[in-house]
mmCIF file of all heavy atoms in Angstrom:
data_model
loop_
_atom_site.group_PDB
_atom_site.id
_atom_site.type_symbol
_atom_site.label_atom_id
_atom_site.label_comp_id
_atom_site.label_asym_id
_atom_site.label_seq_id
_atom_site.Cartn_x
_atom_site.Cartn_y
_atom_site.Cartn_z
ATOM 1 N N ASP A 147 57.596 88.330 -26.770
ATOM 2 C CA ASP A 147 58.396 87.200 -27.234
ATOM 3 C C ASP A 147 59.089 86.451 -26.111
ATOM 4 O O ASP A 147 59.251 85.250 -26.151
ATOM 5 C CB ASP A 147 59.477 87.683 -28.197
ATOM 6 C CG ASP A 147 58.859 88.227 -29.462
ATOM 7 O OD1 ASP A 147 57.742 87.808 -29.771
ATOM 8 O OD2 ASP A 147 59.491 89.081 -30.104
ATOM 9 N N ILE A 154 53.859 79.740 -12.117
ATOM 10 C CA ILE A 154 52.824 78.746 -12.409
ATOM 11 C C ILE A 154 51.869 78.691 -11.228
ATOM 12 O O ILE A 154 52.264 78.353 -10.113
ATOM 13 C CB ILE A 154 53.420 77.332 -12.632
ATOM 14 C CG1 ILE A 154 54.638 77.367 -13.564
ATOM 15 C CG2 ILE A 154 52.346 76.377 -13.145
ATOM 16 C CD1 ILE A 154 54.370 77.813 -14.968
ATOM 17 N N LEU A 175 56.948 89.493 -16.520
ATOM 18 C CA LEU A 175 56.487 88.235 -15.929
ATOM 19 C C LEU A 175 55.065 87.903 -16.353
ATOM 20 O O LEU A 175 54.307 88.780 -16.758
ATOM 21 C CB LEU A 175 56.605 88.281 -14.402
ATOM 22 C CG LEU A 175 55.752 89.258 -13.601
ATOM 23 C CD1 LEU A 175 54.469 88.612 -13.158
ATOM 24 C CD2 LEU A 175 56.530 89.745 -12.396
ATOM 25 N N PHE A 184 41.816 83.280 -12.603
ATOM 26 C CA PHE A 184 42.671 83.162 -11.420
ATOM 27 C C PHE A 184 41.840 82.778 -10.183
ATOM 28 O O PHE A 184 40.626 82.940 -10.173
ATOM 29 C CB PHE A 184 43.438 84.475 -11.173
ATOM 30 C CG PHE A 184 42.557 85.655 -10.889
ATOM 31 C CD1 PHE A 184 42.099 85.898 -9.606
ATOM 32 C CD2 PHE A 184 42.184 86.532 -11.899
ATOM 33 C CE1 PHE A 184 41.288 86.979 -9.319
ATOM 34 C CE2 PHE A 184 41.372 87.622 -11.635
ATOM 35 C CZ PHE A 184 40.918 87.837 -10.336
ATOM 36 N N GLY A 185 42.533 82.277 -9.182
ATOM 37 C CA GLY A 185 41.898 81.990 -7.896
ATOM 38 C C GLY A 185 40.823 80.921 -7.923
ATOM 39 O O GLY A 185 39.855 80.993 -7.178
ATOM 40 N N GLN A 186 40.994 79.923 -8.752
ATOM 41 C CA GLN A 186 39.975 78.869 -8.821
ATOM 42 C C GLN A 186 40.340 77.643 -7.977
ATOM 43 O O GLN A 186 39.565 76.704 -7.877
ATOM 44 C CB GLN A 186 39.771 78.428 -10.278
ATOM 45 C CG GLN A 186 39.253 79.540 -11.173
ATOM 46 C CD GLN A 186 37.889 80.031 -10.730
ATOM 47 O OE1 GLN A 186 36.928 79.284 -10.746
ATOM 48 N NE2 GLN A 186 37.810 81.285 -10.317
ATOM 49 N N SER A 193 38.594 79.421 4.620
ATOM 50 C CA SER A 193 37.680 79.962 5.638
ATOM 51 C C SER A 193 37.843 81.461 5.854
ATOM 52 O O SER A 193 37.149 82.045 6.680
ATOM 53 C CB SER A 193 37.908 79.237 6.966
ATOM 54 O OG SER A 193 38.008 77.859 6.764
ATOM 55 N N ILE A 196 42.393 85.188 9.069
ATOM 56 C CA ILE A 196 43.780 85.664 9.107
ATOM 57 C C ILE A 196 44.373 85.092 10.388
ATOM 58 O O ILE A 196 44.112 85.584 11.485
ATOM 59 C CB ILE A 196 43.850 87.208 9.081
ATOM 60 C CG1 ILE A 196 43.219 87.731 7.786
ATOM 61 C CG2 ILE A 196 45.300 87.679 9.222
ATOM 62 C CD1 ILE A 196 43.141 89.243 7.682
ATOM 63 N N ILE A 213 52.844 84.857 12.207
ATOM 64 C CA ILE A 213 52.702 86.140 12.908
ATOM 65 C C ILE A 213 53.138 87.290 11.993
ATOM 66 O O ILE A 213 52.462 88.319 11.904
ATOM 67 C CB ILE A 213 53.507 86.118 14.224
ATOM 68 C CG1 ILE A 213 52.853 85.128 15.202
ATOM 69 C CG2 ILE A 213 53.595 87.513 14.849
ATOM 70 C CD1 ILE A 213 53.712 84.735 16.381
ATOM 71 N N ASN A 216 50.474 87.697 9.371
ATOM 72 C CA ASN A 216 49.288 88.300 9.980
ATOM 73 C C ASN A 216 49.399 89.825 9.938
ATOM 74 O O ASN A 216 48.501 90.526 9.462
ATOM 75 C CB ASN A 216 49.174 87.764 11.418
ATOM 76 C CG ASN A 216 48.077 88.417 12.220
ATOM 77 O OD1 ASN A 216 48.138 89.611 12.478
ATOM 78 N ND2 ASN A 216 47.080 87.648 12.624
ATOM 79 N N ILE A 228 40.659 97.036 1.814
ATOM 80 C CA ILE A 228 39.981 95.744 1.660
ATOM 81 C C ILE A 228 39.251 95.441 2.971
ATOM 82 O O ILE A 228 39.864 95.464 4.044
ATOM 83 C CB ILE A 228 41.003 94.627 1.327
ATOM 84 C CG1 ILE A 228 41.654 94.919 -0.025
ATOM 85 C CG2 ILE A 228 40.334 93.257 1.330
ATOM 86 C CD1 ILE A 228 42.871 94.055 -0.343
ATOM 87 N N HIS A 229 37.962 95.185 2.876
ATOM 88 C CA HIS A 229 37.161 94.953 4.064
ATOM 89 C C HIS A 229 37.698 93.749 4.854
ATOM 90 O O HIS A 229 37.985 92.705 4.280
ATOM 91 C CB HIS A 229 35.700 94.705 3.681
ATOM 92 C CG HIS A 229 34.839 94.406 4.860
ATOM 93 N ND1 HIS A 229 34.505 95.376 5.788
ATOM 94 C CD2 HIS A 229 34.295 93.256 5.304
ATOM 95 C CE1 HIS A 229 33.776 94.815 6.732
ATOM 96 N NE2 HIS A 229 33.636 93.541 6.464
ATOM 97 N N HIS A 230 37.838 93.929 6.151
ATOM 98 C CA HIS A 230 38.294 92.837 7.014
ATOM 99 C C HIS A 230 37.840 93.115 8.445
ATOM 100 O O HIS A 230 37.451 94.240 8.761
ATOM 101 C CB HIS A 230 39.823 92.716 6.955
ATOM 102 C CG HIS A 230 40.540 93.963 7.408
ATOM 103 N ND1 HIS A 230 40.663 95.068 6.600
ATOM 104 C CD2 HIS A 230 41.144 94.286 8.570
ATOM 105 C CE1 HIS A 230 41.317 96.017 7.250
ATOM 106 N NE2 HIS A 230 41.618 95.566 8.451
#
Side-chain angles (χ1 to χ4, degrees):
D147 294 335
I154 314 296
L175 65 93
F184 62 85
Q186 297 298 297
S193 315
I196 299 176
I213 292 165
N216 174 296
I228 296 168
H229 178 71
H230 60 282

